Amino acid sequence: MSENNRKGVLLVVSGFSGAGKGTVMKRLLEKYDSYALSISMTTRAPRQGEENGREYFFVDMETFEQKIKEKKVIEYARYCDNYYGTPREYVEEQLGKGKDVILEIELQGALQVKELFPDSVLLFIMPPSAAELYHRLVSRGTETEEVIRKRMRRAVEEAQDIEKYDYIVINDDLDTCVMHLHEIVESVHEEARRNRETIDRIRKELQELLKGE
Ligand code: 5GP
């Protein structure tokens, strides 16, 4: 089916902090132009090298709470002392254009999205091992030991709920992980229940062909 007339899939991608979600998303977007990545809003301070409007929209607590009140976020969650949320407008606009929209968000937000959009697909990116996760967090060099510990403890909590996701993808080799992710999305597009129009058309054509018999 051509991308022009297919409906966009809302993809929720989660994974432990340090699992390499950011890198996987970056490569996926470079490789395929069928995706649009939603930029979240957060109250956390920018890390070195992060830019407002590129990694996140960095806002203060008051602004964030105002956006919640005005229902300008699809979902939001508190994660390690900060708020994170998905701005509504961009997601709706891109889905309307037939793009597969990616929300790179944590578990609580993912579950809110699934409830609100039952057709969304939840993917969990896993590190090959816990030791590798710890190693990646340390070598990223952007967090203090205390924050790393906090994020590892959070990973233990998040690991309880992975079965709530539709798919898991292991991020060992980056390109393999990206390829698997893309294949999953492509097969989601082929689900019969998402292709009612095509099915109906073929049914009608069959009836037309046999008319008069
Ligand atoms: P970080 O501070 O490392 O950028 O992100 C911390 C966590 O917040 C990650 O698990 C990330 O996926 C999640 N996150 C980022 N944006 C959002 C959002 O809009 N909503 C929710 N619920 N989680 C988010």
Side-chain angles (χ1 to χ4, degrees):
M1 192 186 283
S2 93
E3 249 162 49
N4 302 336
N5 55 18
R6 72 182 194 179
K7 262 198 189 145
V9 170
L10 184 56
L11 280 175
V12 176
V13 178
S14 305
F16 309 130
S17 180
K21 279 165 300 178
T23 319
V24 172
M25 292 307 109
K26 192 164 170 261
R27 182 66 64 91
L28 186 75
L29 287 154
E30 280 164 7
K31 259 184 115 165
Y32 309 100
D33 61 9
S34 47
Y35 296 97
L37 181 68
S38 156
I39 300 172
S40 295
M41 199 165 58
T42 184
T43 57
R44 109 155 142 63
R47 293 188 188 123
Q48 208 179 3
E50 285 184 338
E51 257 178 45
N52 188 33
R54 192 179 65 193
E55 281 80 11
Y56 284 104
F57 295 106
F58 296 99
V59 298
D60 58 25
M61 213 61 143
E62 200 182 319
T63 311
F64 200 104
E65 283 168 354
Q66 188 61 30
K67 299 277 182 194
I68 298 172
K69 260 192 219 144
E70 292 169 357
K71 300 211 181 327
K72 296 223 163 114
V73 289
I74 291 177
E75 60 72 39
Y76 69 95
R78 232 189 142 91
Y79 176 95
C80 296
D81 306 330
N82 283 300
Y83 274 130
Y84 294 81
T86 304
R88 179 182 302 278
E89 198 179 333
Y90 178 81
V91 173
E92 292 180 346
E93 178 192 291
Q94 295 297 315
L95 282 175
K97 286 185 185 165
K99 291 273 187 188
D100 296 327
V101 178
I102 302 172
L103 310 184
E104 193 205 309
I105 64 180
E106 53 65 70
L107 173 83
Q108 305 162 58
L111 300 181
Q112 290 175 51
V113 171
K114 189 73 176 179
E115 248 194 67
L116 232 78
F117 302 89
D119 270 353
S120 58
V121 176
L122 270 49
L123 284 133
F124 200 92
I125 298 191
M126 300 269 253
S129 68
E132 176 62 21
L133 182 71
Y134 183 71
H135 171 73
R136 285 182 193 171
L137 274 174
V138 172
S139 57
R140 184 152 85 181
T142 50
E143 260 89 20
T144 60
E145 180 62 27
E146 192 200 329
V147 171
I148 291 173
R149 287 267 145 205
K150 209 176 211 173
R151 287 178 173 233
M152 288 296 286
R153 280 198 295 274
R154 178 69 190 216
V156 174
E157 282 168 29
E158 287 181 339
Q160 304 294 319
D161 284 308
I162 299 176
E163 287 92 342
K164 293 184 176 149
Y165 283 73
D166 299 306
Y167 297 91
I168 63 159
V169 187
I170 296 190
N171 180 21
D172 192 353
D173 173 69
L174 177 63
D175 283 318
T176 311
C177 178
V178 168
M179 189 180 77
H180 283 169
L181 222 154
H182 184 64
E183 281 169 1
I184 290 170
V185 178
E186 285 307 296
S187 35
V188 165
H189 276 288
E190 308 301 325
E191 284 178 2
R193 65 190 186 92
R194 286 179 204 260
N195 289 282
R196 295 247 158 79
E197 279 172 27
T198 309
I199 298 168
D200 283 347
R201 177 176 58 77
I202 304 279
R203 276 191 188 130
K204 275 196 195 113
E205 285 175 9
L206 282 167
Q207 275 163 0
E208 282 294 313
L209 264 176
L210 292 177
K211 231 186 203 167
E213 252 187 33

